[in-house]
Amino acid sequence: MTLATPVFAQPSEPAKQAEGASCQAEEAALERDMDLARSRGQMLRRRQLAETLASLRTRCQASESPQSRAARIEKLEKEIRALRSELEHAEEQLRDLRKERP
């Protein structure tokens, strides 16, 4: 008795590559939208886009081959630097608004 594994159990390599490219394109589009929202002072919109980006990254990471530990660490450090920069910018805007007279 021979056991056969279904063909559809694992996506083919070209399908994985296409899915990875799609994830990268969606991620780039979301990052551009976030930059635009930030430049327009739309912090709520930017935060919503960041949440969408986080869920996209989670979904894409689950479907791609495992990354090396160092690459994941580097990616998270980059994201933390970007968020800190954004926080500093928002705090600066808040200080400026508090300085203005009504």
Side-chain angles (χ1 to χ4, degrees), residues 18 23 41-42 45 65 69 75 79 84 86 96 101:
C23 285
Q42 299 171 334
R45 172 82 174 133
S65 61
R69 184 174 186 270
K75 186 175 183 179
E79 188 173 333
R84 283 186 178 151
E86 185 178 324
D96 290 344
R101 294 191 179 183

Side-chain angles (χ1 to χ4, degrees), residues 7 10-17:
V7 176
Q10 294 181 352
S12 64
E13 198 60 36
K16 285 183 181 180
Q17 290 174 350

